[in-house]
């Protein structure tokens, strides 16, 4: 089983990541720069 992290924003589009730490850092970066995003994860 693999976990995927999908982060969507109007400015960047949709990004699909496989690593939790990278997804966490990317969400932190978006928050710090004032971007609004939606975050969801799912197991495949």
């Amino acid at each position: 089983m693999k976990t995927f992290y999908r982060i969507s924003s109007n400015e960047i589009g949709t990004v699909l990541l496989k690593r939790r730490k990278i997804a966490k850092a990317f969400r932190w970066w978006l928050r710090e720069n004032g971007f609004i995003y939606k975050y969801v994860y799912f197991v495949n």
Side-chain angles (χ1 to χ4, degrees):
M1 293 190 322
K2 294 262 184 178
T3 304
F4 293 96
Y5 305 92
R6 184 172 61 196
I7 303 169
S8 301
S9 175
N10 289 336
E11 292 81 6
I12 59 160
T14 302
V15 177
L16 188 64
L17 299 167
K18 294 181 182 179
R19 298 230 167 199
R20 181 178 176 269
K21 286 186 176 183
I22 294 172
K24 187 176 177 182
F26 188 55
R27 287 190 335 236
W28 175 83
W29 183 85
L30 288 170
R31 213 173 21 252
E32 286 290 317
N33 290 301
F35 294 113
I36 298 171
Y37 64 91
K38 290 183 181 178
Y39 169 72
V40 66
Y41 67 94
F42 55 92
V43 177
N44 187 9

